[in-house]
Amino acid sequence: MNNRPITTIQAVAVIASTIIGIGILTFPRFMVEAGDSGAPLVTASGIFIAFIGFWFTASVCRKFPNETLFIFSRRLVGTGLADFFTGLIVVFFAFSTGITMRQFGEVCVSVIFKKTPIEAVILLMLLLGCLSIRRNIVKFTYIHSFYLPLILLPVLIIILVALNEIDVLNLLPVTGNQLTPRKFTTGMLTSASLYQGTFILTLLVPFMKKPQKVMKAGTIALLLIVSIYVLIVTVSVGMFGAQETLLLFYPTLETARSISLGAGLLERFDAIFIIVWVISIFTTIFSNFYMATFAFKELARFQDHRLLASFLLPFIFGSSLLPDNVFQTYDLASATAMFGLILLTFYPFLLWFVTIIREKRGRSV
């Protein structure tokens, strides 16, 4: 078997399907809070901050194409410091999986399974994720490559249909009403926090046929997803207006409910959207759970990660039940995302900086 079976296109698929997920439903409301009618502009601006962390991660991984970040980091900053950051990564991705699961459960019990306990919904999806991650990186990649078209095509169809329903006046002025630097920065950081899935490339590089193209793969994935997010925010604000969007808890779902095709011939786009959304949630949880388990394996110096998946399951399930209500859930999700944005930007920067210093001094890593 080829030791490097993952192509650049497959790497794009993994990164893209990891990024697109829970934020689809509520993302427009957060962007409108920051930018009013300028929400699409605020959404697009987040990619610049997200690209910084991605660039450092991709740059340092390209210098060590035969190892994951968890291995070569020990030689760069020392075993103790590397293990400390690996532990933070385990906690972050495990906790992020739990909070994402809670958000998933909140939507399910309020929209689909109204009489089902939220614990049952969360546990069922977690068990599915736990069974799925008992695979190697190659099969992990194939799963993402299979599901990405099933996510993107229906979403693009819904967006294209919704574009016919928008009122351009709702999108004016494009810079928003009274868009202050503070609000713009807050919205920019919120937008950037959605693109942390690029960190999954640290697992892919040692298996890529052309690891030097990881920068290209990540850039394509980021541009693809930011385009979709901008379009989603545009159709939501364009259909309902900024003030109405603020009153909607799940603006994107309401957008799908409000459109039809062929004079009512094809309705209930919200049912299609929910199916696509569940698939996108699974791929996001799949990646986060896999990253937490793989990092834990490296931290514990295990040869295999499958046993550790079952070990992390109670922690993830417990973290999903920490918030008392849906409002605390989204507050905790925002705080977790901000922590991840800092961690997954600073740590790759530290590794990249140490690598550059060593290279300038002519020292071998």
Side-chain angles (χ1 to χ4, degrees):
M1 182 178 178
N2 190 348
N3 291 328
R4 290 185 176 274
I6 299 177
T7 64
T8 304
I9 296 299
Q10 288 174 328
V12 171
V14 173
I15 297 171
S17 63
T18 298
I19 294 174
I20 191 167
I22 193 72
I24 296 179
L25 286 182
T26 56
F27 188 59
R29 180 165 56 86
F30 293 129
M31 293 298 97
V32 169
E33 287 178 357
D36 197 68
S37 60
L41 178 63
V42 176
T43 304
S45 66
I47 194 173
F48 296 104
I49 295 179
F51 190 81
I52 295 173
F54 157 71
W55 189 88
F56 287 126
T57 305
S59 295
V60 74
C61 285
R62 285 197 305 179
K63 295 181 181 294
F64 305 92
N66 298 316
E67 297 173 320
T68 64
L69 177 141
F70 307 108
I71 299 296
F72 64 73
S73 60
R74 297 171 191 162
R75 299 198 303 275
L76 289 176
V77 296
T79 301
L81 187 59
D83 285 348
F84 170 75
F85 277 106
T86 300
L88 288 180
I89 290 171
V90 172
V91 172
F92 165 70
F93 278 102
F95 194 78
S96 179
T97 302
I99 294 301
T100 302
M101 284 306 316
R102 177 58 181 269
Q103 293 174 273
F104 169 77
E106 292 287 356
V107 176
C108 285
V109 299
S110 63
V111 178
I112 309 173
F113 309 115
K114 296 184 179 181
K115 295 184 179 181
T116 304
I118 191 172
E119 295 85 357
V121 175
I122 293 173
L123 187 58
L124 183 62
M125 180 63 90
L126 273 180
L127 288 174
L128 179 61
C130 186
L131 292 174
S132 300
I133 66 175
R134 298 170 69 88
R135 305 290 184 271
N136 58 32
I137 298 294
V138 177
K139 292 180 180 178
F140 167 83
T141 303
Y142 291 162
I143 291 173
H144 278 286
S145 300
F146 174 79
Y147 280 120
L148 183 62
L150 301 180
I151 297 172
L152 291 184
L153 291 178
V155 169
L156 289 175
I157 291 172
I158 292 172
I159 290 173
L160 290 174
V161 175
L163 284 175
N164 295 323
E165 306 290 335
I166 68 173
D167 184 350
V168 178
L169 293 178
N170 288 332
L171 299 169
L172 298 176
V174 294
T175 55
N177 294 306
Q178 299 179 346
L179 181 59
T180 63
R182 181 178 179 181
K183 283 187 174 182
F184 183 81
T185 303
T186 301
M188 196 176 184
L189 290 172
T190 302
S191 176
S193 66
L194 287 175
Y195 308 117
Q196 296 170 21
T198 55
F199 195 76
I200 199 70
L201 66 86
T202 59
L203 304 184
L204 304 179
V205 173
F207 299 92
M208 288 182 64
K209 289 182 178 179
K210 298 178 180 179
Q212 298 306 316
K213 289 190 175 183
V214 65
M215 187 74 73
K216 177 181 178 181
T219 302
I220 293 173
L222 277 175
L223 291 176
L224 174 64
I225 298 305
V226 76
S227 299
I228 290 175
Y229 276 141
V230 169
L231 287 173
I232 288 174
V233 173
T234 300
V235 296
S236 296
V237 178
M239 287 183 64
F240 303 115
Q243 297 306 312
E244 182 68 21
T245 303
L246 285 174
L247 301 177
L248 300 174
F249 210 82
Y250 304 120
T252 313
L253 182 59
E254 295 301 327
T255 300
R257 282 175 175 168
S258 304
I259 61 176
S260 62
L261 187 63
L265 178 64
L266 182 59
E267 296 181 336
R268 300 298 298 178
F269 277 96
D270 56 323
I272 300 174
F273 181 78
I274 285 293
I275 295 171
V276 174
W277 176 75
V278 170
I279 296 174
S280 70
I281 291 297
F282 169 74
T283 57
T284 300
I285 292 170
F286 183 38
S287 290
N288 287 350
F289 202 166
Y290 200 101
M291 175 61 77
T293 306
F294 192 92
F296 193 19
K297 182 204 76 170
E298 296 295 344
L299 181 64
R301 309 298 196 274
F302 278 30
Q303 294 296 320
D304 189 82
H305 68 277
R306 288 177 292 183
L307 177 63
L308 296 176
S310 301
F311 183 81
L312 284 177
L313 183 63
F315 171 79
I316 295 174
F317 182 67
S319 64
S320 70
L321 302 179
L322 285 178
D324 293 329
N325 52 56
V326 66
F327 301 104
Q328 287 187 11
T329 299
Y330 282 97
D331 288 341
L332 193 55
S334 297
T336 304
M338 286 298 108
F339 172 78
L341 183 62
I342 296 171
L343 173 64
L344 302 183
T345 301
F346 173 74
Y347 187 40
F349 164 74
L350 175 64
L351 298 178
W352 173 84
F353 182 74
V354 172
T355 303
I356 296 301
I357 294 299
R358 285 174 174 260
E359 287 179 348
K360 288 184 176 181
R361 292 180 178 179
R363 296 175 60 184
S364 175
V365 180

